[in-house]
Amino acid sequence: MIENLDLGMVNWARAQFALTAMYHWIFVPLTLGITWIIAFYHSIYVKTGNEEWKRLTKFWMKLFGVNFAIGVATGIIMEFEFGTNWSNYSWMVGDIFGAPLAIEGIFAFFLEATFFAVMFFGWNRVSKGFHLFSTWMVAVGSNLSAVWILVANAWMQHPVGQAFNPDTARFEMQNFAEVAFSPYAINKFTHATSSSMLMAAFFVISISSWYLLRGRHIVMAKRSIVVAATLGLLASVFTIFNGDESAYEIAQVQPMKLAAFEGLYEGQTNAGLVAIGLINRDKKVYDQQEPFIGFNVHIPGLLSLMANRSFGSFVPGMKDLVYGNAEHNILGAVQKMERGKKAVASLDAYKQAKKADDKAAADVHLASFNEYKEFLGYGYLNKPEEAVPPVALSFNAFHVMVILGSLFPLIFLGYLYFSYKGNLAEKKWLLGLGTITYLLGIMASQAGWIVAEVGRQPWSIQDLLPTTIARTNLTASTVQTTFFMFLALFTLLLIAEISIMVKQINIGPEEN
Amino acid sequence: MNGPPEHRPPLLLRIYQFYRDGFRQMTVGRTLWKIIFIKLFIMFAVLKFFFFPDFLATTFSTDAQRADHVIDQLTQSAQGYTNPVKGERL
């Protein structure tokens, strides 16, 4: 089947979705994270009554407003793309995603229309207590409104609590709690929100460091840094811990993704984690080339510990997962394809029997389909090697994320240490580094999503629906046109945001 | 001696005034609202309308037809199948 499809369209549709999602994700983490930081600033103002804290709170609120305004509704474009480019997928998951995403839309609207307005317009208009409550509610509500989209994404990576209905061609929700509270979903939510907090902390630190280097707004910058660095340190340590928990979940439900982002072709016991290495882009799962070019440094046993919580345990490599490994009782894509093709054939036979009104035959074929349905997606692969995601991109993105993520707590610690010593303004090297930390945060965050989404290829829904079947039959040129339109629109919007943001940063906080 | 009782406008009026005054006092917010409206116009009146039709909604009339189409897509590797052309209503 796949050879008859226009793969160019699939790749263009994927590129368009990636462009939209990555652009959207420039704004979302800052919104999620900075609302907490602003809530802390606002709380300190209400507690101390010190006008400097009010001025500081209003300044960061203004920058948050710029980010929010430019970013708002950019996510809606993804919904357009679902209906046009990914119609099969949209239809199949409608029962799982429809209600939660609608609730999220309504919830976000009412939240933004009430508490958001009170937060911005409420100075001297409502009581201090209600004003502060509204600021906290914006933080709580913004983060809660991210829950369902992250639950939906987690479900695609680990589709629990569902059953496929062969009459309607839909995945139907069987257990809401299993979907909403799957460990994968919880890890995804905590990882996304805590990493957003650290990104927002870097946003504050970048701008405040620039002020300190310029000798402007020194008191405000120092105060902003102390709160942001404290929250950022907590968030960065938490992000490392729940990132480790995410890796454990991935090892259990998406072992191919884990093997790809570690460049692990041959399964190993006591498998080491690659600390640094240059992946061989030309290597294929079936050839004998070396996976790394030149030197690479492994930390012995750490990958086994991460994947199975045991140093000596076996971590399957891509070859094991493609061709199978009887010794370790691992079913390969080769065997799964046989079962998947039986599932597809049974589904087809069931459909024909229903059309012929042959109930007895339909029951037999349905039973056969149910026996093999967990391998349905493999029935659409032509070669077992298609089950391997792009290894080099997954590996590089994962290591960029991990290396930067490991560096982040040290940067926050450095800021806190010199703030405590009272000589932060003299540490030009740290302030220089600080001005680019927000960019580093964006890089790590985007790399994380590349690991999550490229690493799960070829699947739209893990093991059940490959991207080649999830799509609509359109020509590549149709998608190319809108891809470049989005590129132009997003570039203009980004220029607008950066211009307004830079102007506001230059102006600085309002004078008392 | 008590003064005249303070007149407090009704709640709905106060909410309206709160929003009205808030919007009036905006500075950078005015530019941001313009950007938001231009963006929403481009998204919904141009992109959605001309470039992003919902394929299943515009090609098929009923949910049963949509389900049949998707099932056909899922099973076409097991049989000969011709896809409907985009825009052809069944």
Side-chain angles (χ1 to χ4, degrees), chain A residues 70 72 84 113 351 380 473, chain B residues 19 39 53 71-74 83:
Chain A
I70 305 287
V72 73
T84 304
K351 181 186 76 176
Y380 303 109
N473 276 330
Chain B
Y19 278 85
K39 183 168 56 175
I71 285 281
D72 286 344
Q73 295 275 297
L74 291 173
N83 286 316

Side-chain angles (χ1 to χ4, degrees), chain A residues 337-445:
Chain A
M337 278 175 66
E338 286 171 20
R339 298 175 191 198
K341 289 188 188 304
K342 284 179 185 167
V344 176
S346 301
L347 183 62
D348 184 50
Y350 171 72
K351 181 186 76 176
Q352 304 297 346
K354 260 183 57 190
K355 273 187 187 165
D357 212 14
D358 184 347
K359 189 174 181 311
D363 287 345
V364 169
H365 295 307
L366 183 60
S368 171
F369 173 74
N370 285 332
E371 189 179 346
Y372 298 112
K373 66 182 178 185
E374 67 180 291
F375 304 101
L376 178 67
Y378 287 91
Y380 303 109
L381 302 185
N382 292 309
K383 295 179 292 182
E385 293 82 7
E386 287 175 2
V388 179
V391 177
L393 183 54
S394 302
F395 176 89
N396 290 330
F398 178 70
H399 286 84
V400 164
M401 176 185 74
V402 170
I403 290 167
L404 288 175
S406 307
L407 185 68
F408 291 160
L410 301 177
I411 297 175
F412 290 122
L413 269 176
Y415 268 89
L416 286 174
Y417 175 74
F418 291 116
S419 294
Y420 175 73
K421 298 280 282 181
N423 58 355
L424 178 63
E426 296 157 26
K427 303 295 170 190
K428 306 293 182 199
W429 62 271
L430 183 59
L431 297 176
L433 174 66
T435 55
I436 61 160
T437 49
Y438 180 51
L439 288 177
L440 297 180
I442 290 178
M443 274 175 65
S445 187

Side-chain angles (χ1 to χ4, degrees), chain A residues 1 66 69-70 72-73 76-77 80 83-84 87-88 91-92 113-114 117-118 121 125 164 166 168-169 344 347-348 351-352 380 469 472-474 482 485-486 493 500 504, chain B residues 17-19 21-23 26 28 31-32 35-36 39-40 42-44 47-48 51-56 63 66-67 69-79 83 86:
Chain A
M1 178 178 186
V66 174
I70 305 287
V72 73
I76 290 173
I77 294 174
F80 297 171
T84 304
S87 59
N88 292 341
W91 177 262
M92 293 172 78
T114 51
V118 175
F121 301 156
R125 302 288 307 276
F164 180 75
T168 60
V344 176
L347 183 62
D348 184 50
K351 181 186 76 176
Q352 304 297 346
Y380 303 109
I469 307 298
T472 311
N473 276 330
L474 299 174
T482 48
M485 285 171 69
F486 283 153
L493 283 172
I500 298 170
Q504 294 306 317
Chain B
Q17 288 169 341
F18 177 82
Y19 278 85
D21 296 345
F23 281 112
M26 283 193 308
V28 66
T31 311
L32 296 176
I35 290 174
I36 289 172
K39 183 168 56 175
L40 289 176
I42 293 171
M43 280 181 190
F44 285 97
L47 292 175
K48 176 67 181 163
F51 296 97
F52 284 93
D54 186 319
F55 174 75
L56 292 177
D63 275 355
R66 291 177 192 117
H69 169 74
V70 176
I71 285 281
D72 286 344
Q73 295 275 297
L74 291 173
T75 55
Q76 61 179 297
S77 60
Q79 49 149 14
N83 286 316
K86 179 179 170 292

Side-chain angles (χ1 to χ4, degrees), chain A residues 17 67 105 127 206 221 236 276 312 355 361 397:
Chain A
F17 200 85
N67 178 72
S127 71
S206 292
S236 59
I276 193 160
K355 273 187 187 165

